[in-house]
Amino acid sequence: MTTALVLVALAGLAAPYAVRVLGARAGLVLALAPLAVVVELLGHVPEIAAGSVVTEEVPWVPSLGIAWALRIDGLALLFALLVNVVGALVPVYAASYLDGKPRVGRVLAYLSMFIASMTGLVVADDLVVFFVFWELTGIFSYLLIGWDHERADARKSALTALLVTGAGALVLFAGLVLVAVTFDVERFSELVARRDEIREHAVYPALLACLAAGAFTKSAQVPFHFWLPGAMAAPSPVSALLHSATLVKAGIYLLARVEPALGDHFAWTLPLCVVGSVTILAGGIGALAATDLKKVLAHSTVVVLGALVVLLGIGTTVALEAALVLIVIHALYKSALFLVVGSVDHEAGSRERGALGGLARMMPVTAIAAVAATLSKAGLPPSGGFVAKELVIAAALDTPMIAAAVALSLSAAIGVAVAIRVGARPFFGAPGSAVARHEAPWLMTVPPMVLAVAGLVLGLISPAFGRALIGPALASIDPAAEMPELALWHGLTPALGAGVVAIIGGWLLHRLTADPARLADAAALVASPRALWDAGFERVLGLGAVAGRALSTLELRPMIVGVLVTAASLGAFVIASGNVPAAMSLAGHSPLGYLEAFALVALVVSLGAALTARRTTVMITALAGVGFVVSMLFVRAGAPDVALTQLVVETLLFVFAMFVLTRMRRAAPAASPTRLGAGRIVVAAAVGLVMTGVVLAMVSGPLDPSLARWFVANSAPEGMGANVVNVIIVDFRALDTFGEITVLGIAAIAIVAIARRTTSAEIPALRLRPPPFAVVGRPVAIALVVAGAWLFLRGHDAPGGGFIGGLVAGAAAVTGRLLGLDVPGRIVARVGPARIIAIGLACVLAAAVFALPSGGAFFEAKWSLSALARGLPAGTPVLFDLGVFLVVFGFVAGGADALTAHGDADRGPAGEGDDRGRERAERTPSAGRLAEEV
Amino acid sequence: MELVLASCVGLLFAAGVYLMLGRDRLRAVFGLGLAGQGVNLLLLAAGRVSSARPAFIADGVDAAAVANPLPQALILTAVVIGFAATCLALVAVLRIEQRDAEPAA
């Protein structure tokens, strides 16, 4: 199952390329991954139907009892199948629906990753793993709702959905922690055995409240129902997958999952029935009042979610059975209807219910799919929806809670009214003002047709469907339940009669509320939590602004002084706890070498020159001197690697600073920097003194040498390297290095992005071509590349390594830029610095996960001993170091590119992208403003 | 050596702070860089400068007689990160100066 999850997520990474190559047909390829999952799951059906479970487990954080534990029982199987069946069809539709729009690849990528996350959520047994997937689904939902991020309402809806479900998720996390801490339970599967203990424990109400908060926010229960209609800012196929079939069912899934341990208690039944019933009512009013068909569907989804919560609250066998069947059938018909509405919108250009009619003539296939889905939605035989509705009404007739029963019956009636409006009215009768010229492309007609027909077929084969999927799922909620056989025809039962009443009631509802104005007041009431939320959100932002005004002076210097004074006070504390005089006298015993004395004098001189320089160029030159002195100290302290790095960095920084200066064109210093401010000198001197004292206090204490000894002792036998510093960087502390070079990559992107917004149009080409440089430039550049590669290769055993090698090779790119050479500029230009960095990070990641398949740990080093014996350095740390080399090289080359690019004409194709970016910045005021503030 | 390092750290910090508190943004960036170098030397001193012999493993080398490699590894990456941070700050200053020079729209 893990492999399948990774496959689906990886398919997401390939999505942008699939779109580039295949265009509208990209979805056909992307559907293969969820289809493979479906095939794997179907293979498990017989054994799970026989009562066994499929499990998978890898330790993750053993010290906390957290494991990558997956467990597929009947309930997980049902949900996972649903997610992947709908997940296989929706991308096919989406690629065609969005064809020609910007960022299609991104939508498909997010869809694939969402499918993987949602599948992970339902098969996770470990509480923490479950929560991670829970959050991932929320994040992808956010990204998908906000897909059209140039629209303010899309951004706002996405944020609302994220905050509402995210807030709920935090509370849910508290609940999961409560479970883990109180009952020492890390798995859902361990909960059932502790049922009695949990229900009698004092934390039971708090636990229930926490889990319910998570479930209710995710599944859009009153008063959190308002985020779901807002989520309709997402494209229709996204709504079909996330906001009807899967994501919003996550809360229902959670409730079903914990029902055996927490259910059948008045503190469970009462809140669920009340909240669910109110949600049915609120969703119903919203659905009947809405005129946008997509909004109608969204509100009707809220109705069904409410009904599901009521059914889980009732918790009788028939109610649970009804819930499970309804989950499946609703997912099928509702996603079909979302796709149908998407097609109508796509072809006729409107989703307003008043503007549509008679589309069946032009869009016959879509109309058939709509009718098939409508049969289910309205609960008419022989559809699966009929089976579901029978069961729902049977559950309602069975419960003593009259209000819940009424609400459930009402939900059936609302389903009928919505079915008439969405599935029937747009396609039949007189043509409306919006007309379609032709049928939607086949990529957009097949998926809704498959979904709608599947809903019908499940009704026809309901006994088999019941045995294979519903029975096992019911057994995982209530193992003792004797499930009655699912059937299309139960005879003349009270439920059948009530169903007929519901259909008539639904038709009446439709007629009575045909004029949206009639429901305006009620709809406003239902929508009011949204206004409350918005007001609260604004209030929070306002509080932030108040706090910001109180704490920030918006002036840099007072804030720096504040930080420094705080730090210096802490430093004084350190000094007081150390033994400074002892350190002084200790240092007095070791003679001051002439090298140290020279370094000290040189530092004072170059710092003095830097501080008193009037011209910035002079200051930068003096600062390079400071860097060289510091690198001398590193040599003296037995740190050749650091000294080399420092030398190259100082050189590169000097060149980069000069690049920046040429663009700044400052004739004279902006203000007189040499003017002596007494306060400034006092603060600077005080901080300097404190820092000196801190170092002395620090070295006066003893140092435990065991760590240093360990690294030196283990470097060769464990790390296969003689250069201990390099082994630490690429092996022992590889995770640190990984973080650091990621920062490097991010900084490179930021530098390029900011540099693009700077100009240097009036500056003549930044190239030096005096004869000697032109002659030696090329050999020097080539030599630098060779030297960089050589330093990298020897780094594991001698001074060098990826960092130093990358910097030196980067210096070649800088030289090339300075002299206008094509070495190695042409290669860099062809691959692009960003891609070099990405390849480097990929190398590092590959080295990180290399040991995982064979049961090793993340970043565990693997060496080929046979290759080592032949003198070949074949091991993952070498690959890791290569990644470091590439990232550092990419950073330097990219920085040099960005800082020397001048004028759009010289920038070639990059210039076009730049203009696009600028246009976009102008179109979205907030993004533009943000960039301005940066 | 420790006394020299301590003095250098103090000098670098004093100079860095002096530049940071100035009016000129560009110099403030370099001031931050100087303070960063001070921190690097502080890290070096934290591991003690016991030996000038680099930590390379070879036959006959006593593990106790080589320099402490751990601070070196930390400083090495810190130097590169500091370089990246300074470059980013420089470009940001460039952008800000150009914006300030533009006539107000």
Side-chain angles (χ1 to χ4, degrees):
Chain A
M1 198 63 215
T2 305
T3 325
L5 284 183
V6 173
L7 179 77
V8 177
L10 285 183
L13 289 182
Y17 299 96
V19 169
R20 204 172 300 160
V21 177
L22 297 167
R25 294 190 183 160
L28 290 175
V29 179
L30 296 173
L32 293 177
L35 262 187
V37 179
V38 169
V39 171
E40 181 181 346
L41 289 169
L42 286 178
H44 291 315
V45 166
E47 52 179 316
I48 289 172
S52 70
V53 291
V54 180
T55 57
E56 235 178 82
E57 186 171 338
V58 181
W60 183 13
V61 192
S63 55
L64 294 175
I66 300 169
W68 174 263
L70 307 184
R71 184 171 185 273
I72 311 178
D73 60 0
L75 186 63
L77 178 74
L78 183 78
F79 270 93
L81 266 176
L82 203 57
V83 170
N84 286 281
V85 167
V86 183
L89 290 164
V90 162
V92 173
Y93 180 98
S96 177
Y97 177 80
L98 295 170
D99 190 29
K101 297 249 168 57
R103 301 185 297 278
V104 183
R106 214 180 286 181
V107 172
L108 294 178
Y110 293 156
L111 275 177
S112 289
M113 290 174 189
F114 168 78
I115 294 164
S117 319
M118 190 68 207
T119 311
L121 187 155
V122 296
V123 299
D125 192 24
D126 188 280
L127 299 180
V128 173
V129 174
F130 166 81
F131 182 74
V132 169
F133 282 122
W134 180 282
E135 287 289 55
L136 280 176
T137 58
I139 289 168
F140 288 116
S141 162
Y142 167 75
L143 292 170
L144 284 163
I145 299 171
W147 161 72
D148 196 358
H149 59 65
E150 286 160 23
R151 271 171 40 209
D153 68 315
R155 291 199 302 271
K156 186 158 180 274
S157 299
L159 190 62
T160 304
L162 181 74
L163 291 177
V164 172
T165 57
L170 278 181
V171 183
L172 166 65
F173 188 62
L176 296 176
V177 171
L178 200 60
V179 170
V181 171
T182 317
F183 305 106
D184 194 26
V185 163
E186 274 94 28
R187 310 282 172 84
F188 281 118
S189 54
E190 295 165 1
L191 272 177
V192 191
R194 312 284 289 274
R195 175 187 160 89
D196 296 333
E197 188 189 340
I198 293 174
R199 291 152 51 94
E200 278 155 26
H201 200 282
V203 302
Y204 175 74
L207 182 59
L208 202 56
C210 288
L211 298 184
F216 287 176
T217 47
K218 199 86 163 178
S219 288
Q221 300 296 301
V222 169
F224 310 111
H225 59 289
F226 56 90
W227 73 262
L228 186 53
M232 295 302 123
S236 285
V238 169
S239 306
L241 179 62
L242 273 70
H243 306 120
S244 70
T246 57
L247 170 84
V248 291
K249 302 273 174 61
I252 305 295
Y253 168 79
L254 174 66
L255 291 176
R257 183 51 84 195
V258 299
E259 160 118 37
L262 302 179
D264 197 18
H265 187 291
F266 77 92
W268 166 278
T269 306
L270 192 67
L272 261 63
C273 286
V274 170
V275 170
S277 301
V278 176
T279 304
I280 291 174
L281 200 61
I285 292 169
L288 294 173
T291 56
D292 177 347
L293 291 184
K294 217 171 147 195
K295 287 263 161 78
V296 174
L297 287 177
H299 285 286
S300 83
T301 302
V302 173
V303 172
V304 173
L305 292 170
L308 287 170
V309 168
V310 171
L311 288 169
L312 289 173
I314 294 173
T316 55
T317 303
V318 62
L320 293 177
E321 190 187 2
L324 292 168
V325 176
L326 184 57
I327 285 167
V328 176
I329 300 299
H330 170 257
L332 294 174
Y333 75 68
K334 190 55 68 67
S335 51
L337 284 176
F338 265 112
L339 296 183
V340 162
V341 168
S343 295
V344 167
D345 191 16
H346 196 259
E347 302 306 324
S350 174
R351 299 192 308 240
E352 283 300 311
R353 80 176 201 233
L356 297 165
L359 290 173
R361 251 160 297 159
M362 284 318 235
M363 304 177 69
V365 188
T366 304
I368 293 169
V371 169
T374 300
L375 287 180
S376 257
K377 171 96 197 152
L380 294 172
S383 67
F386 174 70
V387 179
K389 191 190 64 181
E390 289 264 281
L391 284 167
V392 170
I393 290 180
L397 295 177
D398 193 38
T399 173
M401 284 172 287
I402 310 288
V406 171
L408 284 179
S409 316
L410 186 63
S411 78
I414 294 165
V416 175
V418 169
I420 298 171
R421 288 192 182 168
V422 179
R425 285 303 300 274
F427 294 96
F428 306 103
S433 56
V435 286
R437 294 214 176 69
H438 48 72
E439 177 61 281
W442 69 271
L443 288 166
M444 286 170 59
T445 53
V446 172
M449 185 66 92
V450 171
L451 289 165
V453 170
L456 277 187
V457 170
L458 284 186
L460 293 170
I461 60 160
S462 47
F465 166 54
R467 274 192 303 276
L469 294 173
I470 300 298
L474 185 63
S476 36
I477 304 179
D478 184 1
E482 283 291 323
M483 191 188 88
E485 179 101 317
L486 272 194
L488 200 54
W489 180 249
H490 287 284
L492 290 171
T493 57
L496 184 70
V500 174
V501 173
I503 291 173
I504 297 169
W507 183 77
L508 280 174
L509 272 179
H510 163 62
R511 299 294 302 194
L512 286 173
T513 60
D515 179 10
R518 262 190 213 175
L519 276 172
D521 289 345
L525 180 70
V526 167
S528 59
R530 169 156 204 150
L532 268 178
W533 171 272
D534 286 346
F537 185 61
E538 290 299 322
R539 188 71 56 82
V540 171
L541 291 187
L543 273 177
V546 169
R549 273 194 297 276
L551 294 173
S552 159
T553 59
L554 290 180
E555 277 219 34
L556 189 56
R557 277 174 295 171
M559 295 174 80
I560 293 179
V561 171
V563 171
L564 287 173
V565 168
T566 313
S569 324
L570 290 173
F573 209 69
V574 173
I575 295 170
S577 64
N579 192 346
V580 178
M584 298 277 276
S585 65
L586 188 78
H589 287 304
S590 64
L592 189 66
Y594 67 92
L595 194 67
E596 284 99 325
F598 172 74
L600 204 52
V601 173
L603 189 72
V604 171
V605 170
S606 41
L607 279 178
L611 295 196
T612 54
R614 287 191 66 85
R615 296 175 65 89
T616 324
T617 44
V618 175
M619 179 196 64
I620 292 171
T621 314
L623 286 176
V626 173
F628 291 151
V629 173
V630 170
S631 64
M632 207 157 75
L633 289 171
F634 286 134
V635 174
R636 181 66 189 76
D641 276 316
V642 182
L644 267 174
T645 312
Q646 172 90 17
L647 270 179
V648 187
V649 159
E650 282 308 326
T651 314
L652 289 173
L653 187 60
F654 174 78
V655 179
F656 277 19
M658 289 300 176
F659 284 160
V660 170
L661 269 192
T662 23
R663 302 190 129 201
M664 245 180 225
R665 285 176 296 140
R666 37 163 99 189
S672 169
T674 50
R675 197 181 58 196
L676 299 179
R680 200 173 147 200
I681 293 175
V682 169
V683 174
V687 171
L689 274 176
V690 166
M691 289 314 291
T692 303
V694 165
V695 174
L696 287 175
M698 195 171 59
V699 298
S700 71
L703 175 75
D704 179 2
S706 56
L707 205 54
R709 296 246 170 88
W710 188 90
F711 281 118
V712 174
N714 286 285
S715 173
E718 298 277 333
M720 310 291 169
N723 183 352
V724 185
V725 174
N726 184 264
V727 173
I728 293 176
I729 289 175
V730 301
D731 191 345
F732 291 141
R733 298 185 62 83
L735 192 62
D736 274 12
T737 314
F738 175 51
E740 277 149 3
I741 60 167
T742 309
V743 170
L744 217 57
I746 294 168
I749 292 167
I751 288 172
V752 170
I754 300 175
R756 273 192 184 168
R757 294 185 62 84
T758 66
T759 52
S760 65
E762 293 147 48
I763 296 178
L766 189 94
R767 279 170 195 168
L768 304 167
R769 282 194 199 266
F773 290 110
V775 173
V776 300
R778 183 179 299 265
V780 165
I782 293 172
L784 281 172
V785 174
V786 173
W790 176 70
L791 281 167
F792 157 66
L793 284 176
R794 72 196 284 246
H796 215 52
D797 293 318
F803 275 107
I804 302 168
L807 287 169
V808 172
V814 176
T815 312
R817 265 286 170 181
L818 267 177
L819 302 177
L821 298 170
D822 56 357
V823 183
R826 196 188 287 168
I827 308 161
V828 175
R830 194 166 299 163
V831 184
R835 211 166 292 167
I836 292 176
I837 292 174
I839 294 170
L841 287 175
C843 287
V844 169
L845 270 182
V849 300
F850 187 83
L852 287 185
S854 54
F858 197 55
F859 274 117
E860 186 175 317
K862 290 277 177 193
W863 292 92
S864 160
L865 292 177
S866 57
L868 272 179
R870 269 178 273 137
L872 286 174
T876 53
V878 179
L879 182 64
F880 183 93
D881 213 11
L882 176 66
V884 173
F885 176 92
L886 289 173
V887 171
V888 174
F889 173 73
F891 174 84
V892 177
D897 265 11
L899 290 175
T900 54
H902 43 85
D904 287 336
D906 197 39
R907 215 176 300 164
E912 289 167 28
D914 193 25
D915 289 349
R916 264 209 304 276
R918 213 167 288 152
E919 264 171 45
R920 206 178 298 144
E922 278 160 16
R923 246 182 301 155
T924 52
S926 68
R929 205 164 54 233
L930 193 72
E932 284 300 323
E933 277 157 14
V934 167
Chain B
M1 186 67 183
E2 271 83 0
L3 199 56
V4 176
L5 280 183
S7 319
C8 289
V9 170
L11 284 170
L12 286 168
F13 261 94
V17 168
Y18 181 79
L19 288 180
M20 271 190 262
L21 292 180
R23 221 172 274 279
D24 185 0
R25 294 192 193 96
L26 193 71
R27 279 166 208 252
V29 168
F30 282 110
L32 196 61
L34 282 180
Q37 296 201 357
V39 171
N40 289 346
L41 287 185
L42 187 145
L43 275 177
L44 187 71
R48 308 298 191 275
V49 187
S50 51
S51 166
R53 189 196 290 270
F56 296 122
I57 309 300
D59 292 336
V61 172
D62 177 12
V66 297
N68 188 347
L70 185 59
Q72 295 189 20
L74 299 181
I75 297 168
L76 198 154
T77 47
V79 168
V80 181
I81 292 282
F83 171 51
T86 309
C87 288
L88 181 58
L90 282 178
V91 181
V93 168
L94 171 65
R95 169 71 196 137
I96 292 168
E97 299 249 317
Q98 288 194 347
R99 186 198 60 187
D100 288 356
E102 282 164 15

